[in-house]
Amino acid sequence: MRYTTLTVLTALFGKVLSTPVRRTSVTGITSDAAAFAQSSFDYVIVGGGTAGLVVAARLSENSAVNVGVIEAGESRFGDPYVDTPAYLGEGFFNPLYDWAYETVPQATLNGRSVALNLGKMVGGGSGLNFMIFGRGCQGDYDNWSQLGIDGGWDWAGLLPYFEKTESVTSGPSVTPYNLTEPSGTGAGEGKSGPLPISYNNFYSEIEGPYAQALLSLGVPQNADPDNGDTTGLFNSAASVDAATGNRSYSGRDYLLPNVGRSNLAVLTGAQATKIQFTQNGGNATATGVQFTASGTSYTVSAGKEVILSAGSLHTPQLLELSGIGDEARLSALGIPVVVANSDVGENLQDHQTIYSDFLLTDPDIPTINTLFSNASYAATQEAQYLTNHTGFFTYTPSAVSFHPLQQFWTDDDLQTALAQLQTEIAQANVSTFISKQYQLQIDSIQQGQLAQMELVFLAGVLGEASSDQENFVNLANFASRPFSRGSVHINTTDPLASPLIDTAYLQFSFDKEVLVKGAQLNRNLTQIAPLSSFISSPLNPSADVSTEEEFENFIIDNVSTEWHQVGTASLGPFGAGGVVASDLIVYGTSNVRVVDASIMPMQIGAHIQATVYAIAEKAADIIKAAQ
């Protein structure tokens, strides 16, 4: 292991992290599947990830109810690949941390499949992500309410839950971005939530020149992106605990403080395979959840509710395995239909991503890669990290900006692209639900109110083995509100098989054009002083990629995920796009709820983890009100 000074805090958590002896009722974190199955739970939560552990912590505040969580991964407390911010991405493709899925071959990408990393641990994606923490624009959430969705699923309804989640430590007064006020001092920041949120204490010496290049193009600064307007360049918050310098995530900050409760148990190393139902006329009632652990199948009873928090890829899979989905698809697999709903697994949306890498003129400029290639520098930074919890080991990407297309496109280019988009939409024969989404998206683009492009600077290149002679930085761009709509479905009754994931990347030429112009913009930025003095040459795409066609081919060959899948068990009207009602109850059932990113009907212009936390906090209040 690259970083061995950190140790698991067994003195503090050894009792709850060890496997308890078999008994009728289990508590804490356990791997005793048989004892878990024999226990009595009011609420069984499938998925101990970002959302699931929030709901578990909040529901178990009531000592009169018992809460059980089924999690396929293991606990990774004290693991530097989880805790240490600068190790972002180090857990990718490692089965100890990552489901490591991939899409079906994408026709729009010349048959290429795309890797999809997905957190597999206590804490789920919040323990694997890049820790960027922020809300979307007000219009993002208000658009949801335009789709026939009530119950406070809009900006005003979610804002109290954003605040309830977080405990924000404000940023330094001096940053490379020269903001008018320290980040995190706005009126809407949460100060007493379970999740510590902070700002970088370490900035690469290239971030200032990068910001200057961006601002020279007329991009505005944004001192308070949490106020409902994320457009412009800002100093991004991160899910990092300023007191320890470690990642903050649902496992550490929602579960561990409450894991000693006698009414809460988290089973690790177990995968849910089916929801059990009874049906005596009317809605189906869930009675329990089947799961497998170490090759053995079990069933655990749920006295009140089953709550699916398995994420946008696993939640629709489990619904279909349990008989909730498209009637023809289920019948073809021999699965008895419990609830016929063809919208299950549809409406998949994901931020589409392009990374542009650049070789630096000076190999001695510190980057993330330097922590792995320069033992002396790494030792100095490690000592600082352990002594006062600052320095490069606490680094996360902080130079984040969101842009309306009018900022970089001419009006003629934009109108031509939108006209082509509308032609392609008409030819696609999409559902009424998705057609409404498209109109909302087009309206917001025309009005220039919501950003369609995101840019992020990273001091280093993930997975790139730099040497003493080479060093790199990465400029990433993302299609923040893509029009592409994919799906997640099963094609087998084997519950342990990966679902078929079709992200439909670049389904519309408009999405491709956003990425093309973003990659071209990144190239142009590196040619603007003073940033240009730090850049030796473009690495990927190479300098040979220069024409529009060459950039388009680069996009097709390299577009990937931002790990933000949403929409596959959407809020919305039944029969018109919806899988869950405004109380998150799955249509056709009396007591199955979905609480994860799959309920988000439309993608937002933000990294989604803050929104998933807010959804879970709101859901917990909804469930408590129904008790």
Side-chain angles (χ1 to χ4, degrees):
M1 183 172 291
R2 292 168 169 163
Y3 186 70
T4 58
T5 307
L6 289 178
T7 58
V8 179
L9 302 179
T10 52
L12 181 59
F13 299 120
K15 179 178 179 182
V16 299
L17 295 181
S18 61
T19 303
V21 297
R22 182 184 295 269
R23 53 183 182 263
T24 302
S25 181
V26 293
T27 61
I29 303 173
T30 180
S31 59
D32 192 336
F36 184 90
Q38 293 166 6
S39 298
S40 175
F41 295 110
D42 297 294
Y43 297 95
V44 174
I45 300 172
V46 177
T50 308
L53 294 183
V54 173
V55 176
R58 293 305 189 188
L59 294 184
S60 61
E61 290 172 344
N62 179 359
S63 60
V65 301
N66 294 316
V67 180
V69 181
I70 300 172
E71 167 54 39
E74 304 291 344
S75 57
R76 299 292 168 197
F77 302 117
D79 187 328
Y81 280 0
V82 176
D83 286 353
T84 309
Y87 285 161
L88 73 176
E90 289 297 303
F92 283 3
F93 305 107
N94 184 329
L96 296 178
Y97 311 87
D98 185 5
W99 287 94
Y101 283 158
E102 62 178 27
T103 69
V104 300
Q106 300 286 287
T108 51
L109 308 184
N110 296 328
R112 181 169 63 92
S113 296
V114 177
L116 300 177
N117 307 102
L118 191 68
K120 186 180 183 181
M121 68 183 83
V122 173
S126 67
L128 189 68
N129 64 25
F130 284 15
M131 292 155 282
I132 294 176
F133 199 85
R135 307 164 190 174
C137 284
Q138 178 173 342
D140 282 321
Y141 307 104
D142 287 348
N143 275 344
W144 298 2
S145 65
Q146 302 300 309
L147 297 171
I149 299 166
D150 56 14
W153 293 103
D154 55 12
W155 172 257
L158 283 167
L159 183 58
Y161 295 105
F162 282 117
E163 297 174 0
K164 185 176 182 179
T165 299
E166 61 193 19
S167 180
V168 177
T169 298
S170 58
S173 56
V174 178
T175 71
Y177 315 122
N178 297 322
L179 299 172
T180 56
E181 58 190 67
S183 300
T185 56
E189 308 287 1
K191 296 297 183 182
S192 58
L195 193 72
I197 300 299
S198 65
Y199 294 83
N200 278 10
N201 60 77
F202 177 95
Y203 297 89
S204 162
E205 63 184 275
I206 314 173
E207 282 169 308
Y210 168 78
Q212 291 177 53
L214 201 57
L215 296 172
S216 74
L217 298 180
V219 173
Q221 295 170 307
N222 188 342
D224 186 13
D226 284 343
N227 68 356
D229 179 6
T230 64
T231 56
L233 171 67
F234 54 87
N235 182 28
S236 177
S239 48
V240 173
D241 187 347
T244 65
N246 290 338
R247 174 195 298 268
S248 52
Y249 66 110
S250 65
R252 175 172 296 280
D253 297 295
Y254 273 89
L255 177 61
L256 281 186
N258 305 306
V259 77
R261 291 173 178 168
S262 61
N263 63 337
L264 175 60
V266 177
L267 176 66
T268 59
Q271 187 169 346
T273 57
K274 185 179 181 180
I275 304 168
Q276 288 190 321
F277 288 103
T278 60
Q279 193 156 12
N280 298 312
N283 290 334
T285 298
T287 59
V289 176
Q290 294 178 12
F291 65 91
T292 183
S294 301
T296 301
S297 295
Y298 303 89
T299 300
V300 61
S301 297
K304 291 182 180 290
E305 294 187 11
V306 170
I307 300 166
L308 300 186
S309 294
S312 294
L313 303 184
H314 285 138
T315 285
Q317 178 189 28
L318 189 58
L319 287 172
E320 290 184 340
L321 288 168
S322 306
I324 300 176
D326 179 73
E327 187 171 8
R329 177 177 288 106
L330 300 184
S331 297
L333 293 171
I335 298 174
V337 177
V338 176
V339 179
N341 188 341
S342 59
D343 292 314
V344 171
E346 294 294 309
N347 195 43
L348 173 63
Q349 300 159 59
D350 189 15
H351 289 144
Q352 299 168 30
T353 304
I354 282 293
Y355 299 100
S356 299
D357 305 330
F358 297 88
L359 182 65
L360 296 177
T361 55
D362 184 352
D364 295 325
I365 291 177
T367 68
I368 286 177
N369 308 95
T370 311
L371 298 176
F372 302 140
S373 64
N374 187 322
S376 175
Y377 181 79
T380 299
Q381 289 299 313
E382 179 182 3
Q384 182 176 346
Y385 181 40
L386 294 171
T387 302
N388 58 21
H389 315 302
T390 61
F392 215 147
F393 276 105
T394 69
Y395 173 84
T396 64
S398 65
V400 176
S401 57
F402 286 90
H403 310 273
L405 295 181
Q406 286 87 344
Q407 216 154 59
F408 303 120
W409 294 28
T410 67
D411 187 63
D412 285 346
D413 283 347
L414 182 56
Q415 297 310 317
T416 298
L418 285 174
Q420 176 63 26
L421 172 65
Q422 289 171 320
T423 297
E424 293 176 11
I425 289 173
Q427 295 170 345
N429 192 31
V430 298
S431 69
T432 301
F433 186 61
I434 292 177
S435 179
K436 289 180 180 178
Q437 295 180 30
Y438 286 165
Q439 192 56 57
L440 289 168
Q441 288 181 256
I442 291 171
D443 288 346
S444 67
I445 290 172
Q446 293 274 30
Q447 295 161 9
Q449 294 178 341
L450 299 181
Q452 194 73 16
M453 179 190 296
E454 177 190 4
L455 302 178
V456 175
F457 174 90
L458 176 67
V461 175
L462 297 177
E464 193 71 45
S466 58
S467 66
D468 292 339
Q469 288 75 43
E470 293 183 320
N471 211 356
F472 314 96
V473 293
N474 174 271
L475 277 62
N477 66 282
F478 311 96
S480 298
R481 295 180 179 82
F483 286 83
S484 303
R485 297 293 189 274
S487 63
V488 181
H489 294 297
I490 60 174
N491 71 335
T492 174
T493 57
D494 179 1
L496 304 185
S498 167
L500 295 180
I501 307 165
D502 183 3
T503 46
Y505 290 136
L506 309 187
Q507 177 185 7
F508 296 102
S509 58
F510 190 88
D511 292 345
K512 180 172 64 177
E513 189 64 19
V514 170
L515 294 173
V516 166
K517 282 189 163 50
Q520 293 171 327
L521 173 62
N522 284 335
R523 174 77 64 83
N524 293 338
L525 285 169
T526 63
Q527 297 170 351
I528 297 174
L531 180 60
S532 57
S533 64
F534 292 86
I535 303 299
S536 172
S537 62
L539 181 69
N540 188 35
S542 70
D544 293 335
V545 174
S546 59
T547 68
E548 186 81 9
E549 181 180 3
E550 288 168 342
F551 269 102
E552 284 188 7
N553 290 334
F554 174 76
I555 299 303
I556 291 170
D557 291 341
N558 292 276
V559 65
S560 61
T561 179
E562 201 181 1
W563 310 285
H564 296 162
Q565 295 89 30
V566 306
T568 54
S570 180
L571 284 159
F574 179 69
V579 175
V580 299
S582 60
D583 59 1
L584 306 184
I585 291 284
V586 174
Y587 287 118
T589 78
S590 63
N591 64 337
V592 177
R593 294 188 209 252
V594 176
V595 184
D596 57 34
S598 69
I599 72 157
M600 295 169 59
M602 292 178 66
Q603 187 58 274
I604 62 172
H607 296 245
I608 67 172
Q609 73 157 328
T611 299
V612 174
Y613 276 111
I615 286 170
E617 286 280 16
K618 181 176 174 68
D621 275 0
I622 291 171
I623 297 167
K624 285 182 174 183
Q627 287 176 354

